[in-house]
Amino acid sequence: MARRPLPRILSKDSAQLARMQLARSRELARTAADSATDILHPLITVTRGLRVLASAGRRRWADTPKDRRGPLLFLAASAVMVVALMPYGPLLAVVTVMAAAAWQGRDRTPSAPAGPDASQTERLKALYDALVPYFTAPEDPAPLYAHGGEWEKAFTAYEFDDAGRVGHLVIRYPAYFPDGEPEARARVEQLLTAKAGRGREYHFDWDEEGNRLTVTVLAPLPADIPAQPFVTAPGETVLGYTDPSEVQRTLPLSYGEERIDVPPVVWRTGIRSTEPHLLAVGHPGSGTSTLLRSIALQALRHGDVLIVDGGGTGEYACLTGRDGVLAVECALAGALASLEWAARETERRLIAVNLARQAGDPPPADTRRPLWILLDRPAVFTHLAAADGRGDPQALLQVPLRHGRAANVTVVVAEQFDSAETLGDAVRQHTRARVVLGATAPQQVEAVLGAAPRTTPPARVPPGRGYARLGSGPVHRLQVPRTPDPYDDATSDADRQAVLALLPTRAPDAGAGPADLSKPAPEKTPVTAEAVAAES
């Protein structure tokens, strides 16, 4: 798929949007003018030269005394006649005049000095001197890094931003540097982050084969893109947005009247998924509940959702009684009953699929419909169950986690760092898709994802900002779409309407009590525009 243009960071303010459109119009006009100038550059040069020659001729005529103008005109006429009578004379005259005009009309502005200026050279030399203790050894007869050495040999490419700080840098280092050791890499990356300028995100690309380190300053991820329907296939869930260089796909998103393309982090579930379950870990206020709401809204398009909320804050009250939402449990008794039903439902699906395969029939329709089990802070129920003398509710997740992929059951668990040690072995073992949100140290990210990120943490961490890793793949920067609780008073009207527009209609028997989990969920009715407008 061809790479689409990079997204722009948007703002909800109409004035800001108008300024962006005006800036884009100016950019298009400037691009068209530059293209026209490149095409017409020879003609412009010759015209400028003819103007210079004409001005020189007028000055020469004005400086000539009046008694000498007659002989000068006679001499000029004689020269023109001789040239006209010569073979190829007029052609040679035109070529000579054009060459003289081109020479006189050439661009005489001084060229920009090659290489960095004094301040930039001072920055590069400071970086070089700081790297000397890390990239040198006493046994090296010709060290690349030495005190008072030449930084030009070590830095093969460099760029600076408008503020004069390093924006891109390619560093050569000796082959004996232990670039395969994470500790050695971390020391160099920490040094470069401090010396190149704090408060920015850096991407470090180590080329062990070529002994090259590429340092790139990353632009902040857009944090103001609201929740909206994503153009995805069944079984695909958008966790958030990442850098364009990390994925080979973009999603078209709408923002008002504008259309943008954003590179997504897509998590694939279903019977062919290699990462059928997900674990999200973060600090309070980092956006784990926002991630679960975003996943629930996408899952309700093609499946059924069971939500168990251990936080007890009503973050998922907007989903209660909605079509396709089997239950939203916040109490211990309801959570145990729901998880026990989920285990029995997984077993029932496995038996039904097995019997259908033995008979040579396709799987039943109720087993092909995805079932999502979303648990927010299960450690709270673990503590309450232990205090009440009951079993750990996480033990009921073993069957959905072990056999959920074959039964088309997906489990998503969100927990905080201070309670992550209470997660059961089944959760740790079978959740191969991992997400870390909030301001975290690289050691915490590596402990959850199994690999350290190749980027430095941002100075300002908005809600929903973090890292994601699917299975054994690379670690991606992640920004979760803005999916706040629409019933929260702190939610803006625009975000509230965006979330309400994605909610399914309420089930006809929503007010009769909790959903009956003893039988499969009914088919989901389509969402109409009139129902969404009435709900909002």
Side-chain angles (χ1 to χ4, degrees):
M1 180 181 294
R3 181 63 56 84
R4 299 189 179 181
L6 300 181
R8 300 182 179 91
I9 299 177
L10 301 177
S11 173
K12 298 184 206 176
D13 191 3
S14 59
Q16 179 72 12
L17 183 59
R19 287 195 295 269
M20 292 175 58
Q21 294 176 351
L22 181 59
R24 185 171 64 255
S25 302
R26 291 177 178 175
E27 182 181 354
L28 293 176
R30 191 181 300 109
T31 303
D34 294 340
S35 301
T37 302
D38 294 338
I39 296 175
L40 301 177
H41 182 70
L43 181 59
I44 295 174
T45 302
V46 172
T47 304
R48 189 189 304 119
L50 290 176
R51 187 168 61 251
V52 173
L53 292 177
S55 300
R58 286 195 301 270
R59 288 195 303 270
R60 180 65 181 273
W61 178 261
D63 295 341
T64 303
K66 293 183 179 182
D67 56 345
R68 296 183 180 180
R69 292 181 179 179
L72 182 60
L73 284 176
F74 178 75
L75 180 60
S78 301
V80 171
M81 185 177 296
V82 171
V83 171
L85 295 176
M86 289 176 57
Y88 304 103
L91 179 60
L92 292 176
V94 171
V95 171
T96 303
V97 173
M98 292 296 103
W103 176 257
Q104 293 295 333
R106 70 187 187 279
D107 189 7
R108 302 183 181 183
T109 57
S111 58
D117 55 20
S119 62
Q120 296 173 353
T121 301
E122 188 67 22
R123 284 181 175 270
L124 293 176
K125 192 175 185 309
L127 282 175
Y128 175 83
D129 293 338
L131 291 172
V132 169
Y134 300 90
F135 290 151
T136 188
E139 299 82 7
D140 192 350
L144 179 62
Y145 288 83
H147 294 287
E150 299 178 0
W151 62 265
E152 294 85 353
K153 297 181 180 180
F155 301 155
T156 58
Y158 45 84
E159 295 178 4
F160 293 87
D161 57 11
D162 297 337
R165 297 188 297 179
V166 176
H168 178 77
L169 186 63
V170 179
I171 303 174
R172 292 178 56 201
Y173 57 87
Y176 53 76
F177 175 75
D179 51 7
E181 299 179 3
E183 295 79 7
R185 287 188 177 190
R187 289 194 297 267
V188 174
E189 293 174 0
Q190 184 179 6
L191 172 68
L192 292 174
T193 302
K195 293 295 183 181
R198 297 183 182 273
R200 300 185 297 175
E201 293 186 73
Y202 294 89
H203 179 271
F204 299 98
D205 185 11
W206 292 84
D207 181 11
E208 295 89 347
E209 184 177 0
N211 299 322
R212 297 288 192 278
L213 170 60
T214 303
V215 184
T216 306
V217 178
L218 299 175
L221 294 176
D224 56 351
I225 299 180
Q228 55 190 281
F230 300 112
V231 183
T232 55
E236 292 183 345
T237 303
V238 177
L239 300 180
Y241 321 118
T242 185
D243 298 309
S245 60
E246 297 295 326
V247 295
Q248 301 296 325
R249 177 180 177 181
T250 57
L251 283 181
L253 300 180
S254 59
Y255 184 83
E257 299 179 355
E258 192 169 352
R259 199 79 171 174
I260 62 174
D261 296 315
V262 175
V265 177
V266 179
W267 173 38
R268 292 173 176 84
T269 59
I271 59 176
R272 293 180 178 84
S273 173
T274 58
E275 302 87 21
H277 309 294
L278 182 139
L279 172 63
V281 183
H283 294 289
S286 59
T288 54
S289 299
T290 299
L291 175 62
L292 260 63
R293 264 192 304 271
S294 176
I295 293 177
L297 293 177
Q298 298 179 62
L300 287 172
R301 296 170 59 185
H302 307 286
D304 301 318
V305 175
L306 172 63
I307 301 175
V308 177
D309 181 15
T313 57
E315 291 280 347
Y316 309 96
C318 60
L319 296 170
T320 303
R322 299 287 177 173
D323 191 17
V325 180
L326 302 181
V328 179
E329 299 293 346
C330 301
L332 176 60
L336 290 173
S338 299
L339 295 179
E340 185 178 356
W341 172 88
R344 294 198 308 268
E345 174 66 13
T346 304
E347 295 174 350
R348 185 196 68 81
R349 290 187 174 211
L350 287 175
I351 296 174
V353 171
N354 189 22
L355 293 177
R357 289 176 178 175
Q358 291 179 5
D361 298 330
D366 58 347
T367 62
R368 295 196 302 265
R369 184 174 177 83
L371 172 62
W372 292 73
I373 304 173
L374 308 183
L375 289 89
D376 193 356
R377 301 196 63 187
V380 175
F381 290 123
T382 299
H383 176 73
L384 293 178
D388 199 23
R390 302 187 182 185
D392 188 358
Q394 296 187 47
L396 300 173
L397 292 175
Q398 292 186 6
V399 174
L401 287 171
R402 292 178 183 272
H403 308 288
R405 179 173 59 179
N408 212 358
V409 177
T410 302
V411 179
V412 180
V413 179
E415 190 53 81
Q416 297 182 3
F417 273 103
D418 54 1
S419 304
E421 67 277 359
T422 62
L423 293 175
D425 294 337
V427 175
R428 297 174 181 270
Q429 181 179 358
H430 296 283
T431 52
R432 290 177 45 83
R434 300 288 182 89
V435 173
V436 176
L437 298 179
T440 56
Q443 295 79 8
Q444 292 178 309
V445 177
E446 185 176 4
V448 176
L449 303 184
R454 295 188 299 175
T455 60
T456 57
R460 175 182 172 273
V461 183
R465 178 68 169 82
Y467 300 94
R469 190 188 186 198
L470 304 179
S472 58
V475 179
H476 300 289
R477 290 201 306 167
L478 181 70
Q479 177 62 55
V480 179
R482 294 183 54 160
T483 317
D485 181 11
Y487 295 164
D488 189 357
D489 295 337
T491 303
S492 63
D493 292 337
D495 291 339
R496 180 179 294 106
Q497 295 301 326
V499 175
L500 290 176
L502 298 176
L503 289 173
T505 57
R506 290 192 179 275
D509 54 348
D516 185 8
L517 300 180
S518 62
K519 55 184 179 180
E523 294 292 333
K524 185 170 63 172
T525 58
V527 180
T528 60
E530 292 79 8
V532 173
E535 178 63 26
S536 61

